[in-house]
Amino acid sequence: MILVTGANGRPGSAVVAEFARHGEPVRALVRDPAKAEGLRELPGVEIVHGDMLWPETLESALAGVDRVLMISSAGPQMLETQCTFIDAASKAGVGHIVKFSGQESTDGFDPERFRSTRSHEQIQRYLIASGTPWTLLRPSQFMHVYFEEVPDIVGSGELRLPLGDTTLAPIDIDDIARIAYAVLTTPGHEGETYAMTGPEALTMAEAARHIADAIGKPVRYVDVSSEDKQRAWLEAGYPPPRAAAFAQLFEERRSLGTSTVDLSTHRRFGIEPTSFAQFARRNADVFRGDAPYTVTPA
Ligand SMILES: NC(=O)c1ccc[n+]([C@@H]2O[C@H](COP(=O)([O-])OP(=O)(O)OC[C@H]3O[C@@H](n4cnc5c(N)ncnc54)[C@H](OP(=O)(O)O)[C@@H]3O)[C@@H](O)[C@H]2O)c1
């Protein structure tokens, strides 16, 4: 049996949907079954309830599991959550843990300088030291994070980010889900690290142009100061530590300036990379403000 954790979240639900699309059974771990309505509609999905921070809640979720895709939120508890889960899964005899990690696309980025990227590095070391066979999935920024800019895009026709002319290489979560499905359902991935980005290093002016083309309305990139963006995040209800951490991360991206595209994993699994233009067209309703979207939770 294959278990996907964080199954109510954005990447987790996309991976579970990919299993359903292939008619392949999968077990989906959720913290809050009330939020799992979408998953319940999918064929072949067994929903189990548990909290990765509390091993005693995971017994039935981990029973008979050969392989896990381990995902949890990128918040301050990620390190404790995933290390606790690795211990529980190893103890339960899980044969292979695939860790959903991350990797900045900007050239020269030092993951040890920022809490969230540092946590991934620490968890990876913990997983490798656990002795349980492992694989690392390391996607760049999700294209879905641009949904967080919908209020400005709809309100003023502006994409307001503190990034200057920096390029980023965001990836479509559906591409990651296809790759995760292949890793989880075929042999030979133990000890492998699969880094992946989208197919282009985009300036934010180019991203704005793709969104504008998709929705048929002008969208202009406005290079705002880090302080202004941090203020906007706070006004939008982001908790202050999260707004501050984002501001720091964006300052680093801005100072590094360029990104490198890495499609080696797409090629390895025969997955056609989704461009930002395709992603924007597929989600035109969201960018027009006509469909709901999920933002990164606090
Ligand atoms: N955002 C990006 O651009 C990006 C890029 C690359 C990699 N990543 C990585 O992708 C991962 C997921 O990203 P995200 O935070 O944006 O995803 P998300 O949509 O918030 O999904 C995370 C899921 O994990 C669940 N979860 C958290 N703590 C849990 C616990 N103790 N027990 C059981 N389930 C738990 C959450 O449950 P609830 O639904 O109950 O809250 C949520 O459904 C993170 O590790 C992040 O660093 C993100």
Side-chain angles (χ1 to χ4, degrees):
M1 174 55 79
I2 294 169
L3 174 71
V4 175
T5 76
N8 268 340
R10 293 174 305 179
S13 58
V15 176
V16 171
E18 191 61 17
F19 272 80
R21 199 168 71 81
H22 285 269
E24 193 68 40
V26 68
R27 188 177 288 173
L29 178 76
V30 300
R31 204 163 38 169
D32 180 0
K35 289 202 308 197
E37 277 154 39
L39 295 180
R40 250 183 275 282
E41 288 165 10
L42 297 173
V45 178
E46 179 196 351
I47 298 170
V48 287
H49 177 208
D51 190 318
M52 296 161 78
L53 268 171
W54 297 99
E56 56 276 23
T57 68
L58 297 171
E59 244 168 68
S60 55
L62 287 170
V65 169
D66 313 300
R67 234 171 232 186
V68 177
L69 176 62
M70 178 178 67
I71 309 177
S72 70
S73 316
Q77 286 195 309
M78 184 172 72
L79 178 62
E80 187 60 26
T81 302
Q82 297 197 2
C83 290
T84 302
F85 182 82
I86 290 166
D87 288 344
S90 302
K91 198 167 155 214
V94 168
H96 182 193
I97 299 177
V98 179
K99 168 166 167 51
F100 195 100
S101 193
Q103 185 149 309
E104 277 288 314
S105 61
T106 40
D107 300 323
F109 185 86
D110 176 4
E112 299 288 349
R113 284 195 54 209
F114 297 92
R115 192 200 58 221
S116 123
T117 49
R118 185 169 55 241
S119 295
H120 277 308
E121 301 293 316
Q122 291 168 330
I123 298 159
Q124 286 166 194
R125 288 194 285 272
Y126 193 84
L127 173 58
I128 291 165
S130 74
T132 298
W134 55 270
T135 302
L136 306 179
L137 301 184
R138 304 202 61 170
S140 61
Q141 181 196 47
F142 302 155
M143 289 180 182
H144 290 67
V145 302
Y146 291 83
F147 291 166
E148 300 187 26
E149 309 309 320
V150 164
D152 284 338
I153 292 168
V154 172
S156 59
E158 292 174 335
L159 177 65
R160 299 173 65 81
L161 288 167
L163 281 169
D165 294 329
T166 289
T167 59
L168 295 176
I171 183 168
D172 188 348
I173 284 177
D174 287 356
D175 288 9
I176 311 173
R178 288 185 198 112
I179 290 163
Y181 174 79
V183 169
L184 289 163
T185 55
T186 58
H189 307 296
E190 288 84 355
E192 298 286 345
T193 296
Y194 294 120
M196 57 195 98
T197 68
E200 312 126 298
L202 289 169
T203 62
M204 294 305 108
E206 288 166 333
R209 206 156 48 238
H210 289 311
I211 296 169
D213 288 347
I215 66 176
K217 281 187 191 162
V219 178
R220 188 170 67 95
Y221 169 52
V222 180
D223 177 21
V224 294
S225 71
S226 175
E227 293 74 25
D228 280 353
K229 191 64 189 180
Q230 193 170 342
R231 224 177 347 266
W233 279 323
L234 290 170
E235 282 165 13
Y238 287 30
R242 179 164 170 249
F246 266 34
Q248 252 189 334
L249 177 64
F250 275 69
E251 277 168 28
E252 181 73 352
R253 286 172 170 164
R254 184 189 189 107
S255 76
L256 292 171
T258 55
S259 280
T260 296
V261 166
D262 181 352
L263 295 178
S264 54
T265 299
H266 284 80
R267 281 195 294 272
R268 163 81 174 70
F269 292 99
I271 308 289
E272 191 59 38
T274 305
S275 69
F276 195 84
Q278 289 170 317
F279 169 80
R281 277 199 298 275
R282 200 179 77 225
N283 292 288
D285 282 359
V286 175
F287 285 116
R288 280 193 200 101
D290 292 339
Y293 57 92
T294 316
V295 298
T296 306

